[in-house]
Amino acid sequence: MKVLFAVWELVPFFQVGGLGDVAKSLPKKLHEQGVDVRVILPFYKALKLHKQQKKEVKKFNIIYDGGKQKVVIYQISFLDEKIPVYIIKNEKWLDVPTRDTFAFYNLCVYEILKNNYLDWLPDVVHCQDYHTGLIPLLIKHNNLKFKTLLTIHNLNHQGKSSLDVIKRMGLDHSKCRVIQWETKKKQINFLLEGIIHADLVNAVSPSYAKEIFTEEYGSGLDEIIRNEGQKISGILNGIDYDSRDPIHDKNINFHYSVDQSPIEGKHLNKKFLQEKLGFTVSDQIPLIGFIGRFESKQKGLDIMHKMIRRVNLQKFQFVILGQGEVEWEDQFLWLASFYKKNVAYISVFDRRIASQIYAGADFLLVPSKFEPCGLIQMIAMRYGTLPIARATGGLKDSIIDGVDGFLFKKYSSFDLETKMKHAVEIWKNDKKQINEMILAAMKKDFTWDKSAREYIKLYNKLCNPSAIF
Ligand code: NHF
């Protein structure tokens, strides 16, 4: 099975969100399970190659916006793995993302496949999110034989652009199956086109794959999704067990695992974190973390903020790590500056402090309005930190309420508060139960093995549609 994995972010070269982690971990596991997988992404200015050597594979021209554009494909190795990563360079259209960048990138991928510039052709092109949404259209419209799978990591990001990009790609939109109302609005929606034209589509958790059929979670695409329903499924992401491991994590001071002093290890890391944050060092006060992008539409910042403002802060310690929308950064900065002993806010993302929170906190809040998969709850659980999360999407699929974490249903600051207080009650009065929950969370299998097997099933289904899996 040969798979071209098309994406636009890849840890450690360039990352915006969870997609970058997935792009690192999933191909690695697919490769281990026998798939000849290769990764392709644009070579932006922001992409930092660190010490990686790049080798030129091919130079070619494509026509974009009526003119000849020079493109160079370089190859790098994926860390120490044997997975080729192709990065595509064009100074004018790819260096700095603009509204043309993804159209240009998608056209490059199509030209590479059509002309076999890699000297290697995949069975399946596996596209990630809207950034690669026009690849299935290009393949179908031009009758290339490659099968396509589109993975939706977040339906809220759709990549809307002026319809002109279609013309600049050299396509006549009246001849493409571009959805009619899009044509009327003179815009193109990359994700929508991906959903329509891909042979199969999956979302990053089974629950989210169902939620997106509804108006509430469909981000305006629910009708289309219902129409394409038979080809949509869900596969829960995993996390990278090599880098997310409290026994080896260089960013924490006290190492532990499920078999080696888990409770003591957490206790020492908590003490360290309390000191570092300037909080009272005490094992009687629960230390509660939040780690995430400050994206108010998704991450539940409003209900978390309301809840923190309302509770008696003497009884809790909160550490919030997140950056993004400035208004929310200001709100949390303000809270932290008033309640220095009980609220800490760190606005610059730093892997070290993130690990220290995963290891040192008692609980992690994940109050998301929607969450396609969510990786932080899984990382927290591997570090024995119990998530208090909203029962939505991948959170619902990865946490069992009262067993290895806590779930609340309604998107409301009161429901969050009630659940948090319930968790803290157990934590205070029933150490046996809490310790059992910590161990259950740490033992849970969030490796990529299972997810990779599920993806291979989808690839096989694409290549042998009549076979039964
Ligand atoms: O985990 C990677 C990530 C998800 O829920 C996350 C999200 C974006 O919103 O699949 O993509």
Side-chain angles (χ1 to χ4, degrees):
M1 176 66 68
K2 291 186 280 176
V3 175
L4 185 65
F5 192 93
V7 69
W8 85 294
E9 54 178 294
L10 173 61
V11 166
F13 308 120
F14 175 64
Q15 174 166 38
V16 177
L19 177 55
D21 289 308
V22 175
K24 177 189 169 200
S25 309
L26 178 57
K28 208 162 112 183
K29 273 292 163 212
L30 291 168
H31 176 80
E32 274 172 36
Q33 293 186 20
V35 178
D36 179 357
V37 56
R38 305 184 181 199
V39 181
I40 193 159
L41 71 158
F43 189 0
Y44 304 120
K45 259 195 180 146
L47 196 91
K48 294 284 169 270
L49 290 185
H50 308 295
K51 286 182 185 141
Q52 281 283 330
Q53 296 294 319
K54 61 179 196 312
K55 175 177 99 192
E56 192 179 303
V57 174
K58 186 89 193 166
K59 268 198 190 107
F60 62 97
N61 291 317
I62 65 168
I63 306 293
Y64 191 80
D65 197 19
K68 240 191 210 173
Q69 310 293 334
K70 220 164 72 194
V71 180
V72 189
I73 314 173
Y74 295 99
Q75 182 181 337
I76 54 176
S77 283
F78 189 8
L79 306 173
D80 52 349
E81 304 295 323
K82 295 184 178 53
I83 304 169
V85 173
Y86 302 108
I87 47 177
I88 308 174
K89 184 87 188 156
N90 170 277
E91 275 162 28
K92 181 163 177 200
W93 303 99
L94 294 181
D95 262 9
V96 180
T98 63
R99 64 195 182 122
D100 286 89
T101 302
F102 299 115
F104 187 87
Y105 162 51
N106 289 196
L107 188 63
C108 289
V109 173
Y110 160 73
E111 290 287 342
I112 289 170
L113 291 169
K114 187 177 97 183
N115 298 296
N116 194 10
Y117 287 144
L118 301 176
D119 221 358
W120 172 92
L121 292 174
D123 302 302
V124 176
V125 184
H126 186 172
C127 303
Q128 316 297 321
D129 264 352
Y130 79 86
H131 323 98
T132 53
L134 297 189
I135 296 175
L137 180 146
L138 285 161
I139 288 179
K140 278 250 163 82
H141 182 68
N142 294 295
N143 296 319
L144 298 191
K145 296 291 166 237
F146 309 102
K147 298 290 178 195
T148 53
L149 168 65
L150 171 74
T151 298
I152 302 172
H153 294 264
N154 193 332
L155 194 72
N156 230 25
H157 302 300
Q158 299 178 1
K160 292 182 186 161
S161 193
S162 141
L163 200 57
D164 297 350
V165 298
I166 289 282
K167 206 160 85 207
R168 289 205 274 275
M169 289 166 93
L171 293 171
D172 175 354
H173 70 76
S174 63
K175 296 212 173 82
C176 300
R177 204 187 137 212
V178 173
I179 201 112
Q180 276 313 309
W181 47 266
E182 293 274 291
T183 315
K184 270 194 211 128
K185 280 197 280 177
K186 295 209 177 318
Q187 68 164 28
I188 181 137
N189 180 324
F190 276 50
L191 191 64
L192 172 58
E193 294 307 322
I195 294 170
I196 294 174
H197 292 98
D199 295 307
L200 285 179
V201 175
N202 81 291
V204 286
S205 69
S207 288
Y208 189 60
K210 286 192 201 121
E211 286 170 352
I212 58 177
F213 280 64
T214 65
E215 203 183 332
E216 189 185 351
Y217 290 95
S219 302
L221 300 187
D222 46 295
E223 205 179 319
I224 305 288
I225 288 175
R226 285 195 294 275
N227 283 341
E228 303 290 328
Q230 75 296 343
K231 64 183 190 193
I232 301 178
S233 62
I235 300 179
L236 191 71
N237 286 333
I239 51 168
D240 181 13
Y241 267 46
D242 297 335
S243 61
R244 308 292 192 175
D245 187 358
I247 198 86
H248 294 125
D249 189 336
K250 290 195 182 73
N251 294 322
I252 62 175
N253 291 12
F254 304 99
H255 294 112
Y256 60 99
S257 72
V258 71
D259 310 307
Q260 275 181 50
S261 351
I263 307 301
E264 214 214 329
K266 283 206 64 62
H267 177 80
L268 293 171
N269 282 295
K270 176 174 177 178
K271 193 164 170 275
F272 169 83
L273 188 58
Q274 284 175 320
E275 268 164 18
K276 179 166 176 161
L277 299 173
F279 289 170
T280 308
V281 176
S282 160
D283 54 11
Q284 301 302 310
I285 310 175
L287 178 52
I288 303 175
F290 171 91
I291 300 177
R293 272 175 287 129
F294 268 17
E295 223 175 277
S296 55
K297 276 193 191 141
Q298 178 178 355
K299 296 292 179 186
L301 301 170
D302 53 346
I303 62 170
M304 180 169 73
H305 187 263
K306 269 194 198 137
M307 182 278 286
I308 297 179
R309 292 226 48 190
R310 198 167 49 224
V311 295
N312 175 0
L313 279 176
Q314 304 297 324
K315 295 187 176 170
F316 304 93
Q317 293 173 340
F318 291 101
V319 50
I320 315 286
L321 171 62
Q323 88 191 95
E325 292 165 18
V326 181
E327 313 85 80
W328 283 104
E329 291 189 357
D330 287 348
Q331 299 261 24
F332 282 97
L333 205 62
W334 185 91
L335 256 184
S337 62
F338 266 85
Y339 303 101
K340 286 198 174 60
K341 284 269 164 213
N342 299 79
V343 182
Y345 171 56
I346 303 144
S347 64
V348 180
F349 186 80
D350 168 1
R351 186 87 187 224
R352 174 173 290 257
I353 185 76
S355 281
Q356 291 167 354
I357 296 172
Y358 287 128
D362 297 300
F363 300 102
L364 192 83
L365 299 179
V366 200
S368 306
K369 193 174 252 170
F370 69 94
E371 198 57 76
C373 174
L375 301 174
I376 55 165
Q377 81 280 9
M378 302 191 208
I379 305 169
M381 287 161 84
R382 178 137 166 82
Y383 281 69
T385 297
L386 299 176
I388 301 170
R390 176 140 185 277
T392 181
L395 301 171
K396 201 157 103 184
D397 294 339
S398 53
I399 300 165
I400 306 176
D401 186 34
V403 174
D404 48 29
F406 297 91
L407 291 173
F408 64 97
K409 286 212 175 85
K410 219 168 112 204
Y411 185 77
S412 110
S413 65
F414 292 105
D415 285 40
L416 166 61
E417 181 181 337
T418 309
K419 202 41 134 184
M420 184 187 76
K421 287 184 170 164
H422 168 69
V424 168
E425 268 312 296
I426 302 177
W427 177 84
K428 275 206 169 124
N429 303 319
D430 193 346
K431 286 288 174 219
K432 186 170 165 282
Q433 186 184 342
I434 276 295
N435 290 349
E436 273 169 21
M437 289 182 75
I438 291 177
L439 296 185
M442 291 182 83
K443 279 187 196 148
K444 202 145 183 175
D445 182 4
F446 291 127
T447 56
W448 271 101
D449 299 80
K450 204 165 92 203
S451 326
R453 279 198 298 276
E454 296 285 313
Y455 275 105
I456 294 173
K457 271 194 205 156
L458 284 191
Y459 300 154
N460 281 325
K461 191 168 163 187
L462 284 169
C463 297
N464 313 292
S466 55
I468 299 162
F469 297 100

